[in-house]
Amino acid sequence: MSKQDNAAPVGGIAISDRQSFALLGGAVLFMLIFFIGPLLLVLWASFNPQSGGHLANYAAIASDDYYWGVLLSTLKLGFWVTLLSLILGYVIAYYMTFHVKSQFWSRILYVVIVLPLFTSSIVRSFGWIIMLGRNGLINESLLFLHLADKPQQLLYSNGGVIVSLTYVLVPFMILTLSSALQNISASLHEAAHDLGASNLVTFFKVTLPLSVPGVIAGSLIVFTLAISAYVTPSVMSGGRQMVMPSLIYDYYMVQFNFSMGAALSIVLLISTLGLISAYMLLFRHYAAGASQGRVT
Amino acid sequence: MRLSAGKFGNALLAIASWCVIVYLMLPLIVIIGVSLTSANFMTFPPHGLSLKWYAKVINNPVYIDAFWLSVEISAVATAVALVLGVPAAMILVRKQFFGARAINALFLSPLILPTIVLGVAVLQFASAIGLGRSFATLLIGHSVLIIPYVIRSTLVSLAGFDLSTEEAAQDLGAGSTATMFLITLPLIKPGVIAGGLFAFIMSWINVEVSIFSSSSDLMTLPVRIFGEVQSSVDPSMAAVSALTIYLSVVVVLLLDLFIGLRRTGMT
């Protein structure tokens, strides 16, 4: 590292290499000790099972239908939550970006979308517990509208888990999609209209294709958060539906089998990282175009 | 003809959007509604208005202890994240060197890591070095969890920062340290504050990391709520939850008023 290859285009404070080392080093060291170190410990623990050879945990996971079943139901949950978030998120992101002209309303909408993100998932799930109960708002409404003749078992159902987890994660989709949609120039819409395209045609030929990077990024974020969510699935299913994170919790905190819990954590981690890498490889050209849209 | 079809479509879009907005707000409104009830069970809309469930919460040391523990953890973790993160982000923006991308990835990777895996990793680490479930363990987990938010937010605000202002200060005779504190930090202050507030809230609402370092006498507020949510029958649960919602409302409005929510680099 020399002064010549300093990234700064002009001026800036002269910071010596030694000072930079000190300023950056603290944070790097902290992350190495308290983040990378613990992760390596988890990896190490997963290869040192309570009984059997080093690979015993992974062999057990691979050969037991129970684990495959849990993995499958986790992925299914992720799929439905992502699909629902995408539909709901697209509607509101499109509306916010292209139809809300007033600065005031746009700010209000933004607050409404961000507010749930600043509230604990346990508090938000609690809201759904109240609403989905036998005498909750949803059942009362169904009875009132004669859509049901007796209270339905909504709480602790599969649908309840999907609806509430979607609720918890949809703001991520909205924020990602609306930042992608903002990058689509309004002049493209005008051009399409001038050329005689209807709203619907403009949407399918211009807006939707251009928003694909946002759709993919948003889906990826929501999917990875959905398959690693612990609080909402465990509270909303009343512990009846096992997903990967609840299984991990169970091994660590109930059975005190850290090693098996560690192996399952590694499986979850690799599934997540695998998805993200696949996204980066498959859509590199899209990602390059969308990088101004702060795709995380 | 086309115009009216377009109008119909727009109306449909607006209705659908407002349905989504109701979906986003309803659970929070229901919690607040239930917390204000004067009945002894959870009902919405509330039967009569009363603040008695808030009084019950405030007089319950279990909740108060959990509240203060949460405040301490989030405040100290945010301080750690700011002290480590802001200088690191400043160097990352200014210097190009071998491994800079790897270091950047290291700082941001807790964002893509399943939070529960961070939770078990910290537990595993703490039991290996004999820390057990303690304040220090909670603090480690929370600091790692929120450092990315501080770094990202500082990087975003530095990306639009004109380094020639520093040069101007130095031409006028200011030293490096004076320039840093009188010019650079004040100019990126909104980004740093946004990052700090964001980091605080992410720590404040966390369950997945805390739950692995909690014990019966060391529980953050969200973990306490998590433990009681399924067995609770009286509305004091709703009152605690509502109190945390009020806090988020305050933070969101502060962020929006002082920095603008769109510019906080959240997505």
Side-chain angles (χ1 to χ4, degrees):
Chain A
M1 182 163 80
S2 64
K3 287 261 150 47
Q4 282 75 31
D5 55 28
N6 193 323
V10 271
I13 305 171
I15 300 177
S16 74
D17 290 353
R18 187 184 294 173
Q19 284 168 325
S20 318
F21 189 76
L23 288 173
L24 194 56
V28 172
L29 203 64
F30 188 89
M31 293 302 275
L32 286 179
I33 296 175
F34 295 126
F35 177 58
I36 300 298
L39 283 181
L40 291 176
L41 268 180
V42 172
L43 188 64
W44 182 80
S46 76
F47 285 116
N48 287 287
Q50 289 180 334
S51 62
H54 286 311
L55 288 171
N57 283 331
Y58 292 101
I61 294 172
S63 63
D64 194 332
D65 281 349
Y66 175 71
Y67 297 114
W68 285 102
V70 172
L71 190 61
L72 192 68
S73 62
T74 312
L75 295 176
K76 263 191 198 160
L77 176 65
F79 171 78
W80 286 114
V81 167
T82 308
L83 187 67
L84 260 178
S85 303
L86 186 58
I87 295 167
L88 299 179
Y90 209 107
V91 167
I92 186 100
Y94 187 89
Y95 181 70
M96 272 173 67
T97 312
F98 299 119
H99 287 258
V100 179
K101 301 276 184 253
S102 129
Q103 195 70 32
F104 174 76
W105 278 109
S106 144
R107 263 178 102 162
I108 297 273
L109 279 178
Y110 227 73
V111 167
V112 165
I113 289 156
V114 172
L115 182 62
L117 277 183
F118 280 41
T119 314
S120 184
S121 55
I122 183 59
V123 170
R124 287 185 283 158
S125 303
F126 178 58
W128 282 98
I129 291 183
I130 301 176
M131 292 203 308
L132 294 178
R134 282 190 74 78
N135 305 311
L137 191 63
I138 305 290
N139 260 326
E140 297 276 310
S141 310
L142 287 177
L143 292 174
F144 180 77
L145 296 169
H146 297 289
L147 290 171
D149 48 7
K150 60 180 187 338
Q152 303 291 303
Q153 176 64 41
L154 302 170
L155 195 55
Y156 308 139
S157 71
N158 242 331
V161 177
I162 293 172
V163 167
S164 49
L165 190 56
T166 302
Y167 166 74
V168 168
L169 298 179
V170 76
F172 292 101
M173 182 70 89
I174 300 173
L175 292 175
T176 313
L177 283 176
S178 68
S179 99
L181 288 173
Q182 274 159 26
N183 286 342
I184 301 174
S185 162
S187 60
L188 280 176
H189 282 179
E190 280 168 33
H193 278 278
D194 290 349
L195 293 170
S198 69
N199 281 345
L200 224 53
V201 171
T202 308
F203 176 75
F204 282 110
K205 298 264 176 185
V206 180
T207 319
L208 190 60
L210 283 172
S211 68
V212 166
V215 168
I216 294 164
S219 306
L220 184 80
I221 293 171
V222 169
F223 190 84
T224 53
L225 290 173
I227 62 170
S228 54
Y230 167 66
V231 171
T232 307
S234 85
V235 169
M236 296 309 296
S237 75
R240 277 167 226 204
Q241 193 192 1
M242 270 289 174
V243 285
M244 283 296 277
S246 41
L247 200 56
I248 293 172
Y249 179 84
D250 207 51
Y251 272 108
Y252 267 97
M253 303 301 276
V254 182
Q255 310 196 26
F256 296 109
N257 183 345
F258 279 27
S259 178
M260 191 61 180
L264 289 165
S265 305
I266 297 295
V267 170
L268 180 64
L269 182 60
I270 288 176
S271 321
T272 312
L273 293 181
L275 275 168
I276 292 168
S277 322
Y279 157 75
M280 286 177 164
L281 284 176
L282 274 171
F283 299 98
R284 187 166 275 174
H285 63 291
Y286 269 125
S291 60
Q292 300 103 324
R294 294 204 309 266
V295 178
T296 24
Chain B
M1 196 57 212
R2 211 187 73 210
L3 201 71
S4 68
K7 267 187 182 157
F8 178 70
N10 286 350
L12 212 62
L13 177 70
I15 292 168
S17 304
W18 282 99
C19 287
V20 179
I21 291 163
V22 169
Y23 173 70
L24 282 172
M25 291 313 287
L26 203 54
L28 302 182
I29 292 171
V30 166
I31 290 175
I32 294 172
V34 169
S35 76
L36 292 169
T37 191
S38 59
N40 290 334
F41 49 95
M42 297 198 239
T43 62
F44 186 87
H47 289 296
L49 287 177
S50 138
L51 288 174
K52 66 176 178 178
W53 299 110
Y54 289 89
K56 198 179 170 197
V57 166
I58 288 168
N59 291 316
N60 185 344
V62 164
Y63 288 131
I64 299 303
D65 289 351
F67 172 85
W68 284 116
L69 179 67
S70 276
V71 170
E72 282 168 35
I73 288 284
S74 304
V76 180
T78 305
V80 170
L82 284 171
V83 167
L84 292 172
V86 173
M90 286 188 158
I91 301 301
L92 280 176
V93 173
R94 277 155 216 273
K95 303 264 180 178
Q96 269 188 340
F97 55 93
F98 179 76
R101 281 184 56 145
I103 289 181
N104 203 18
L106 172 69
F107 287 143
L108 299 183
S109 51
L111 287 176
I112 56 163
L113 183 86
T115 320
I116 191 162
V117 175
L118 178 60
V120 304
V122 172
L123 168 67
Q124 195 100 46
F125 177 78
S127 44
I129 63 167
L131 266 180
R133 299 178 192 174
S134 61
F135 187 88
T137 312
L138 278 171
L139 183 60
I140 290 171
H142 279 240
S143 304
V144 170
L145 177 76
I146 64 180
I147 278 181
Y149 296 102
V150 169
I151 297 221
R152 193 170 59 179
S153 187
T154 312
L155 284 176
V156 167
S157 63
L158 279 168
F161 179 71
D162 188 356
L163 284 169
S164 62
T165 51
E166 288 183 353
E167 197 174 32
Q170 293 190 307
D171 288 348
L172 293 170
S176 289
T177 317
T179 308
M180 178 63 78
F181 282 97
L182 293 175
I183 304 295
T184 316
L185 278 177
L187 280 172
I188 63 166
K189 198 168 71 182
V192 173
I193 294 176
L197 276 175
F198 208 39
F200 181 90
I201 251 342
M202 288 300 135
S203 159
W204 171 257
I205 68 176
N206 178 276
V207 175
E208 273 102 341
V209 172
S210 310
I211 201 164
F212 291 98
S213 331
S214 291
S215 56
S216 54
D217 52 353
L218 191 76
M219 267 193 203
T220 61
L221 193 55
V223 173
R224 179 67 72 185
I225 297 177
F226 178 77
E228 291 181 11
V229 101
Q230 296 188 71
S231 55
S232 76
V233 278
D234 83 42
S236 61
M237 200 65 199
V240 186
S241 304
L243 285 170
T244 70
I245 297 172
Y246 304 146
L247 184 96
S248 354
V249 172
V250 170
V251 173
V252 168
L253 290 181
L254 278 180
L255 271 176
D256 192 47
L257 282 178
F258 291 111
I259 294 117
L261 276 181
R262 280 166 189 269
R263 296 197 289 119
T264 51
M266 265 180 312
T267 48

